[in-house]
Amino acid sequence: MAMQQTCQNGIVYLTFSYEYECITILYCNVAPTADVYPIRHMQNGSEPKSLEPYIDLLVDEILKLSEFPTYNSYRKAPVKVKVALLQFLCDIPAYSKLLHISGHSGLRSCGYCKETGIYCKHLSKTIHLSNRQFLPENHPLRSSNRFSNGSVELKQQPVTYTNEEERHLREIFDNKPNRNQQNNFQKATGLKGKYSIMKLPYHDRNQQMQPDGMHTIADFISHVMDLIQ
């Protein structure tokens, strides 16, 4: 592996070259505060089967920069750079690949809770009929009979995995003896094995992954237009 670093207009380009792949990670250095922000990841060529070799490089760099002494030329004084990866904003396929969770077609497709969906053969997709579970227990919509199942919703809000539970389940996945058992375990839990970002000591997947509003709104508008037509 070879690495090349260039800087243009305050943006640092770190390019890692492999025998068949090349990855470029962009960092932005804000002069007044000397803060460094990773702002883009560019993959050359076709999409890789796994992001782990590339994310490993980013995580290792972040760990090195978490307490990195350097010199602030703007303030003309030594400083310690503290870099952290605190939030993720991806669509569901990207979350599935980056954070090793089930995609939107899985029965355990929710990345935030343990709710299980139902496969609808007429729509050829997984659907979730428990959307009223997330409402407060005294919400009037829970007792409405105008929904598809025509019944009162009495179930409590779905719960999430704790960090300890999730780490333990991912270790079980990694220790499964074959791919078939891993696939069955993923269908039951919605989780795959460990991923590189878990090496960050402050990482909390449920708190740091954000819903992708753009795709959510686009899908909603698309469904409304299909209904109108």
Side-chain angles (χ1 to χ4, degrees), residues 12 14 26 28 33 36 49 56 61-62 80 97-98 102 113 126 195 213:
V12 179
L14 294 178
L26 279 64
C28 181
T33 60
V36 181
K49 292 183 178 180
D56 263 339
E61 189 75 14
I62 290 173
K80 273 192 176 181
K97 205 158 206 174
L98 180 66
S102 291
C113 72
T126 300
Y195 51 94

Side-chain angles (χ1 to χ4, degrees), residues 78-94:
V79 296
K80 273 192 176 181
V81 175
K82 297 183 179 180
V83 176
L85 185 58
L86 299 179
Q87 296 292 327
F88 305 91
L89 180 59
C90 308
D91 58 13
I92 294 177

Side-chain angles (χ1 to χ4, degrees), residues 108-187:
R108 295 293 296 271
S109 57
C110 179
Y112 298 93
C113 72
K114 301 178 182 180
E115 196 265 341
T116 303
I118 301 172
Y119 180 78
C120 178
K121 63 180 181 179
H122 303 292
L123 299 174
S124 298
K125 63 175 62 178
T126 300
I127 60 175
H128 298 268
L129 300 177
S130 57
N131 49 0
R132 289 185 291 163
Q133 276 186 252
F134 297 88
L135 297 172
E137 293 185 4
N138 59 349
H139 198 284
L141 287 179
R142 277 183 169 267
S143 58
S144 174
N145 59 2
R146 300 176 61 184
F147 289 83
S148 58
N149 55 10
S151 62
V152 176
E153 182 59 79
L154 300 176
K155 296 179 182 178
Q156 295 182 345
Q157 293 184 4
V159 296
T160 61
Y161 290 116
T162 65
N163 286 338
E164 292 75 18
E165 286 177 326
E166 184 167 317
R167 183 175 292 273
H168 176 64
L169 291 172
R170 291 183 184 278
E171 289 176 351
I172 294 176
F173 178 96
D174 287 333
N175 291 329
K176 291 293 182 183
N178 56 63
R179 188 60 185 169
N180 185 53
Q181 291 189 27
Q182 288 182 334
N183 289 337
N184 291 334
F185 188 81
Q186 178 192 340
K187 290 178 182 178

Side-chain angles (χ1 to χ4, degrees), residues 16-23 43-46 54:
F16 303 90
S17 299
Y18 298 83
E19 184 177 359
Y20 300 107
E21 302 284 354
C22 179
I23 179 176
Q43 165 73 31
N44 296 335
S46 59
Y54 310 106

